Amino acid sequence: MSSIKWTQFWKEHGKSTSGHQAQEQVLRTSNKEVVSESVWANTLEYLQNTFEVNDKDVLLDLCCGNGLITQYFSDKCQSVTSVDVTPEFIQQLNALKLPNVEAICTDLLSLDFPKHSFSKIILYAGIQYFSEDEVISLFKKFSHWLKPNGMLFVGDIPDKSKLWDFYNSKEREHFYFERCEERNDVVGTWFEKQWLCKLSEFTGLAEPRAWDQPNEQIYAHFRFDMKAEKK
Ligand SMILES: C[S@@+](CC[C@H](N)C(=O)[O-])C[C@H]1O[C@@H](n2cnc3c(N)ncnc32)[C@H](O)[C@@H]1O
């Protein structure tokens, strides 16, 4: 599916799930069960341990959804700019009236900020909605927007090397190939760790690292996380 089709998907999904449970709205489900509160609490704690948000940070939360991550980080940093294409999600985030959060409803691909605007950028459970060529353009922008010593964290990335751990039965394999023929994979774009690390270096982001998610996370069997620094 192209990123234009994904934005249509999310806008329709945002309308049809208005008023639903927050994790269900952002589709953090497995076998139709939403992520448990304890798994999500552990995930947020892990994000903080890895991303180390502090009170001087000026944070950009991309594909922020209804703000589950924005909310968690907002009282740990100076300010958060949160961006998502789904109007219902941005309205929901605005309704929280978090004093240091600015929420912007737009497509990431049309977003722009001045050089060195942010000390940290997070894109969580969002990269799969972009094609490889779009991700190259996005990383160039991230590198431009980050302040020196700033950090990029990209999380919950579908791992190309684990495709068959996800499509793990003959039935699921058939489903995968049929959807792929229509350029309509249900997950989106799958990435290699090395591809994203090399792209980071290409776009001026140093010390890229990518690693498997801790086992207890909801999608650990097929997703990974990565980070890189602006020197
Ligand atoms: C799986 S949700 C993740 C939300 C949030 N990061 C979280 O982890 O709770 C993916 C989000 O990406 C947003 N999205 C998808 N394509 C986008 C685009 N081109 N520009 C901005 N947001 C986009 C969707 O609207 C959706 O809210």
Side-chain angles (χ1 to χ4, degrees), residues 7 10 26 28 63-65 68-69 84-86 89 106-108 124-125 129-130:
T7 58
W10 277 104
V26 293
R28 196 166 286 109
C63 288
C64 66
L68 286 160
I69 290 173
D84 201 281
V85 77
T86 303
F89 292 171
T106 191
D107 189 328
L108 241 66
Y124 196 82
Y129 305 118
F130 302 91

Side-chain angles (χ1 to χ4, degrees), residues 175-191:
F175 174 72
Y176 164 74
F177 283 115
E178 270 157 17
R179 292 290 293 248
C180 270
E181 192 180 15
E182 295 163 15
R183 296 194 186 164
N184 202 10
D185 180 38
V186 284
V187 174
T189 310
W190 295 70
F191 294 89

